[in-house]
Amino acid sequence: MRPCARFLSSMAGKNKRKLEDLSVDEFMLSGFDSHEEDACEDEESTQQKGKMKKPAPQKTSDKKQGKASEHKDQLSALKSNDPDFYEFLQQNDQKLLNFDDSDSLEDEDEDEEERMYHRLPSQLEKEPTAKLIRDITQAFKAAVATTKGDSEELCRYTISDSAVFNSLVLFCIKDMHAALSKMLKLKAPEQGQKKLILPSSSPRWQKNQIDIKMYVAGVVQLLSSLTQATVIAAVLRHANQMVPYYLCLPKQCRHLLKSLIKHWSTGEETVRVLAFLALNKICRHKQEIYLNSVLKQMYIAYVKNCKFTSPNTLPMINFMQRTLAEMYSLDTQVSYQHAFIYIRQLAIHLRNAINLKKKETYQSVYNWQYVHCLYLWCRVLSTIYPSEVLEPLLYPLCQVIIGCIKLVPISRYYPLRLHCVRAITLLSANTKTYVPALPFLLEILQREDFNKKPGRMSIKPINFAVILKLSKTNLQEKAYKDGLVEQLYDLILEYFHTQACSIGFPELALPTIVQLKAFLKECKVANYCKQMRQLLEKIQENCSYITGRRQKAAFGVADVTAVAAWEKQVAVEGTPLTKYYSQWKKLREKEIQLEISGKERMEDLNLPEIKRKKAEEKKANKKEFKGLFESDSDDDDDDLFKSKEEQGGSDEDEGLEDLSDLSDEEDVDDSEEDDSDGDQKKPSSSKGKTPKKMLSTELKVVAEGDEDMVEDLELSDQD
């Protein structure tokens, strides 16, 4: 008889005893005897069969259960060695005494899962089977569930380690697309092939569709839960690869499109670009299904995210304009329906503002969302031109823009007018349509008094690109007129550049030449005259060039084909204005970049704060240093010096305040001269004595000092 069997038979009588009669030691011993009994029976059965080996996981579990038995033995020994502490544990920590063998296996399970995740890449490279793909999909589902914090979702695996999560997601992003293509036996697309190979064409698609659906849904959920831009960009690149799979699963594709539109309108620069590429790819291959709804959602997202405009958000708004125009160019029929509805909506807002004339209706037009929508449709029509379908929308759109300019034609809304003129210029240049935009610019030259001295000195220039209206304070600043002249120069030059090769350029430029000459006669500010004189010379030079070319032409004005060919030839050769504009544009862009970089550098600097001295400190300083400048002058000279000290102190205070209000400079100059005269008379009147005669040299010194002071003030006024 085997020793294990003899031991079990000897214990047979013991097992019949009641559980309550057993001591802790006997109970612990009997419990593990039963385990050994099972082990011995298994050993006998395996020896009788003589073929099967005990699997490795059983060894690890036995080892773990052995460690658990050791822990239980220690707890049972604690009862006899330290009964008081054992009683304390019974009352306060029953979990420790009721130790379960399964708890000791949790760490081993985590280690096994981690080893399993590390084995996945090597197994997937050898042969991506359906079972392996299913395991990866379940693991990826568990990883995504941790990002959502959804503990109720049933998953085969649980992932609690961040390192395992990162390695699993990275593995899926890098290798899952190739593994699925290999499992489905999809042909690799040929170089230059634009048509996508859909995975539904594979005979293995139906068998693996559920697992693939679970995986692509997990990718969308992962996109919605991530916050770091670099990780989102990596997942978006993977989603772009998986677009053919989404095209075969309509529900998951709709969820992906919703997430892509969100990232396109709110993400960082790289994220926006990747989201747009995926959107464009889906809509190009399934226009009839997704394009209409995608365009509607993208337009709503665009309007929602252009409510506020700043130097930081303006590039993103321009990006949305250009990419949305690209999306509208996919199907002109669908684009016409959207453009007609939304341009009509803009026209209705404008009509209500004109008729009702209330503050609320004006605000419904004079806001960033309205202006950016005008920009968008000008860009859409410019991008899709030539198009017979969208060409009828040019006239109503121009009418809406012109009506927006004329709604409140006051100087506070000059920035909005300039935005509208820029939109008209864009539309006119790309659609080869003449739209009269110059009168709205020349009207500003006529209305504004550029000779009037500004009331305030501004610290920084006004950025007309990110404002729609000016405050009353802005209208009094010098930076307002400086920026306005600069904007007029830029816009007039840009508009004439669009018409520089037209055969009717001399007639088109004639009203502007007359207005510029009148402005130069009236304006007395050198800087403003310099810019406008340069602009006038370039326009006149281009007029002379076009006139000379026209005199050599051998066709009439009625010959439209010959006129078009002539204008095309002139555009190829170039005109003086187009050549100047290309050089000016490069310099202008460099200036803008330098301004932006300069502002960034200024923000980083910690400039010292200038503190003005108090009146008591100034008097103390003057008393302290007065002895250094004593002279042999009489009492009258001392009084004169004292009056100048008082006058100098007030001049310093007024000078600092006058930086913010230059309109008082003339009064300050007059008062200074009057005060100086009065101060010279005060000593004689206060003392009641006749003033002593001053030497000619002393009078000369005083006279020269006053003249120097007046000259400095005059120079500062002119500057």
Side-chain angles (χ1 to χ4, degrees):
M1 192 172 181
R2 292 178 57 81
C4 186
R6 286 197 301 269
F7 179 76
L8 291 174
S9 62
S10 65
M11 293 298 295
K14 294 181 181 180
N15 290 335
K16 294 178 181 178
R17 295 172 58 187
K18 292 183 179 180
L19 184 63
E20 60 186 6
D21 297 335
L22 296 176
S23 65
V24 175
D25 297 334
E26 291 173 342
F27 171 74
M28 300 294 289
L29 183 61
S30 63
F32 285 95
D33 288 342
S34 62
H35 175 74
E36 291 176 1
E37 178 184 354
D38 297 337
C40 292
E41 289 177 356
D42 294 340
E43 185 178 354
E44 284 184 352
S45 62
T46 53
Q47 285 184 356
Q48 288 176 0
K49 294 179 181 178
K51 294 182 180 179
M52 298 179 63
K53 291 184 179 180
K54 188 180 290 186
Q58 184 67 26
K59 291 182 180 179
T60 57
S61 63
D62 288 345
K63 186 185 296 184
K64 284 296 174 180
Q65 289 178 356
K67 291 181 180 180
S69 64
E70 291 178 3
H71 186 57
K72 286 188 176 183
D73 291 339
Q74 293 173 0
L75 291 176
S76 62
L78 185 64
K79 183 177 180 180
S80 58
N81 296 335
D82 194 351
D84 295 335
F85 183 66
Y86 188 84
E87 185 179 355
F88 173 78
L89 289 178
Q90 284 182 332
Q91 295 176 0
N92 296 282
D93 198 351
Q94 288 288 340
K95 292 183 179 180
L96 182 60
L97 295 177
N98 300 330
F99 181 71
D100 191 4
D101 295 346
S102 61
D103 296 338
S104 64
L105 300 176
E106 290 181 357
D107 296 335
E108 179 66 20
D109 294 338
E110 292 180 359
D111 294 338
E112 288 182 0
E113 287 180 5
E114 187 172 357
R115 282 198 300 268
M116 182 195 73
Y117 299 142
H118 288 301
R119 289 197 304 266
L120 289 178
S122 59
Q123 294 177 0
L124 202 63
E125 288 179 1
K126 293 178 182 178
E127 184 62 32
T129 60
K131 184 179 182 304
L132 185 58
I133 294 294
R134 185 177 297 110
D135 292 339
I136 296 173
T137 302
Q138 292 290 341
F140 185 75
K141 179 183 178 183
V144 173
T146 60
T147 62
K148 298 189 300 179
D150 191 0
S151 59
E152 298 180 357
E153 188 173 356
L154 297 177
C155 299
R156 182 184 299 178
Y157 304 104
T158 56
I159 296 177
S160 57
D161 189 6
S162 60
V164 174
F165 172 84
N166 293 334
S167 60
L168 178 61
V169 172
L170 183 62
F171 159 69
C172 292
I173 290 174
K174 291 174 61 178
D175 302 330
M176 197 62 177
H177 176 259
L180 288 174
S181 301
K182 189 175 181 180
M183 184 193 69
L184 296 176
K185 294 184 178 180
L186 298 176
K187 296 180 180 179
E190 299 178 0
Q191 189 175 5
Q193 182 180 356
K194 294 183 179 180
K195 189 176 181 181
L196 292 178
I197 299 176
L198 298 179
S200 57
S201 60
S202 171
R204 299 186 178 185
W205 169 254
Q206 292 297 333
K207 183 179 179 181
N208 300 279
Q209 183 178 358
I210 296 176
D211 296 329
I212 296 175
K213 185 185 298 185
M214 184 185 301
Y215 177 75
V216 297
V219 173
V220 177
Q221 293 175 2
L222 186 63
L223 271 176
S224 62
S225 59
L226 294 174
T227 55
Q228 191 174 356
T230 54
V231 182
I232 296 174
V235 178
L236 281 173
R237 290 188 181 94
H238 178 56
N240 201 352
Q241 289 180 328
M242 299 295 293
V243 163
Y245 295 88
Y246 284 102
L247 294 177
C248 301
L249 302 168
K251 183 179 179 181
Q252 284 70 27
C253 189
R254 287 194 297 270
H255 292 166
L256 176 65
L257 288 171
K258 185 177 179 181
S259 180
L260 290 175
I261 292 172
K262 179 182 177 182
H263 289 297
W264 168 79
S265 59
T266 60
E268 295 185 2
E269 184 177 1
T270 306
V271 173
R272 287 174 183 255
V273 173
L274 292 171
F276 166 71
L277 292 176
L279 283 169
N280 188 268
K281 190 174 183 179
I282 293 173
C283 291
R284 276 192 291 111
H285 292 90
K286 292 286 184 179
Q287 289 188 15
E288 65 282 358
I289 300 176
Y290 300 115
L291 182 60
N292 191 20
S293 61
V294 167
L295 288 176
K296 183 178 180 181
Q297 293 176 26
M298 289 181 73
Y299 182 79
I300 294 173
Y302 168 78
V303 175
K304 188 183 299 183
N305 289 280
C306 67
K307 187 175 183 179
F308 303 102
T309 304
S310 67
N312 296 327
T313 60
L314 187 59
M316 299 303 178
I317 294 173
N318 292 333
F319 169 78
M320 287 193 289
Q321 283 182 10
R322 296 176 184 276
T323 52
L324 190 51
E326 189 72 21
M327 294 294 292
Y328 277 112
S329 64
L330 294 177
D331 190 343
T332 56
Q333 295 291 340
V334 176
S335 300
Y336 176 83
Q337 297 174 4
H338 285 257
F340 180 85
I341 292 172
Y342 293 126
I343 292 174
R344 181 175 179 271
Q345 189 179 39
L346 296 174
I348 291 172
H349 283 292
L350 179 62
R351 183 189 63 188
N352 293 336
I354 294 173
N355 294 336
L356 299 179
K357 296 180 180 180
K358 293 182 179 180
K359 182 179 179 180
E360 294 78 10
T361 56
Y362 287 150
Q363 289 178 347
S364 66
V365 175
Y366 277 23
N367 60 76
W368 275 117
Q369 290 174 313
Y370 195 94
V371 172
H372 283 309
C373 287
L374 293 177
Y375 262 115
L376 171 66
W377 294 117
C378 287
R379 193 172 294 280
V380 169
L381 297 183
S382 301
T383 303
I384 303 178
Y385 184 86
S387 172
E388 296 180 356
V389 178
L390 293 175
E391 192 172 355
L393 296 175
L394 288 173
Y395 179 76
L397 179 59
C398 292
Q399 289 298 313
V400 172
I401 298 173
I402 293 173
C404 183
I405 294 174
K406 294 181 178 179
L407 182 61
V408 186
I410 60 176
S411 57
R412 289 190 64 183
Y413 288 103
Y414 280 164
L416 185 140
R417 174 183 295 210
L418 299 177
H419 283 295
C420 293
V421 171
R422 191 169 278 107
I424 290 176
T425 304
L426 173 68
L427 189 66
S428 177
N430 292 282
T431 60
K432 299 179 181 179
T433 305
Y434 172 72
V435 184
L438 289 172
F440 304 113
L441 300 176
L442 299 176
E443 185 181 7
I444 298 175
L445 286 176
Q446 291 178 342
R447 287 186 175 184
E448 197 67 27
D449 186 7
F450 291 94
N451 292 323
K452 184 179 179 181
K453 291 186 177 181
R456 298 177 65 88
M457 176 66 74
S458 55
I459 300 175
K460 58 182 180 180
I462 299 174
N463 189 355
F464 281 81
V466 293
I467 59 173
L468 289 181
K469 76 173 183 177
L470 299 162
S471 62
K472 293 181 179 179
T473 305
N474 292 141
L475 294 176
Q476 298 175 1
E477 293 178 351
K478 184 175 183 293
Y480 159 65
K481 293 183 179 179
D482 293 345
L484 189 61
V485 170
E486 186 177 350
Q487 290 291 314
L488 291 174
Y489 180 92
D490 295 353
L491 287 173
I492 293 174
L493 181 61
E494 287 181 5
Y495 188 84
F496 275 119
H497 171 258
T498 63
Q499 307 291 333
C501 302
S502 173
I503 199 169
F505 183 85
E507 290 75 18
L508 175 65
L510 181 60
T512 304
I513 293 174
V514 174
Q515 291 289 338
L516 290 178
K517 287 182 177 179
F519 173 81
L520 292 174
K521 287 182 180 179
E522 296 176 0
C523 183
K524 306 300 180 183
V525 182
N527 291 336
Y528 304 159
C529 293
K530 180 181 179 182
Q531 295 183 59
M532 291 302 166
R533 186 176 291 107
Q534 185 183 29
L535 179 62
L536 177 61
E537 291 174 356
K538 297 301 177 183
I539 295 173
Q540 290 177 332
E541 184 180 1
N542 202 76
C543 288
S544 302
Y545 178 80
I546 295 296
T547 302
R549 291 291 298 264
R550 285 196 312 191
Q551 292 176 352
K552 300 177 182 178
F555 54 85
V557 181
D559 193 349
V560 180
T561 306
V563 169
W566 184 88
E567 290 179 347
K568 186 176 180 180
Q569 181 64 27
V570 171
V572 171
E573 296 177 0
T575 66
L577 190 60
T578 57
K579 295 176 182 178
Y580 171 74
Y581 178 82
S582 61
Q583 297 175 355
W584 170 84
K585 192 69 175 177
K586 294 178 182 177
L587 294 175
R588 182 62 177 157
E589 289 176 355
K590 288 182 180 179
E591 288 178 2
I592 295 173
Q593 293 297 327
L594 289 174
E595 288 178 3
I596 295 172
S597 61
K599 289 178 182 177
E600 292 176 352
R601 288 195 299 268
M602 289 294 291
E603 290 175 358
D604 297 336
L605 293 176
N606 294 323
L607 296 177
E609 183 180 357
I610 300 175
K611 295 182 179 179
R612 295 168 57 185
K613 292 183 179 180
K614 296 181 180 180
E616 293 80 4
E617 295 179 0
K618 293 179 181 178
K619 291 180 179 179
N621 292 336
K622 291 173 182 176
K623 290 179 181 178
E624 192 174 340
F625 296 102
K626 185 176 180 182
L628 297 176
F629 302 98
E630 287 182 354
S631 61
D632 297 333
S633 60
D634 299 330
D635 295 338
D636 296 332
D637 297 333
D638 296 337
D639 293 338
L640 180 63
F641 178 70
K642 183 177 180 181
S643 65
K644 285 190 177 182
E645 283 182 347
E646 296 173 355
Q647 183 181 355
S650 62
D651 288 345
E652 286 181 3
D653 296 340
E654 289 177 2
L656 290 172
E657 293 173 357
D658 289 342
L659 290 176
S660 60
D661 191 356
L662 292 179
S663 61
D664 299 329
E665 277 191 357
E666 295 178 357
D667 299 334
V668 172
D669 297 340
D670 297 336
S671 63
E672 286 176 356
E673 293 177 1
D674 296 336
D675 291 343
S676 62
D677 296 338
D679 291 335
Q680 290 176 2
K681 297 176 182 178
K682 278 180 184 178
S684 60
S685 60
S686 61
K687 293 186 178 181
K689 297 179 182 179
T690 57
K692 295 182 179 181
K693 293 183 179 180
M694 299 181 66
L695 298 176
S696 58
T697 55
E698 295 176 345
L699 289 174
K700 187 176 181 181
V701 170
V702 174
E704 289 177 353
D706 292 338
E707 288 178 359
D708 291 339
M709 185 183 299
V710 173
E711 286 179 359
D712 290 339
L713 291 173
E714 287 179 356
L715 288 173
S716 63
D717 289 342
Q718 291 178 359
D719 292 340

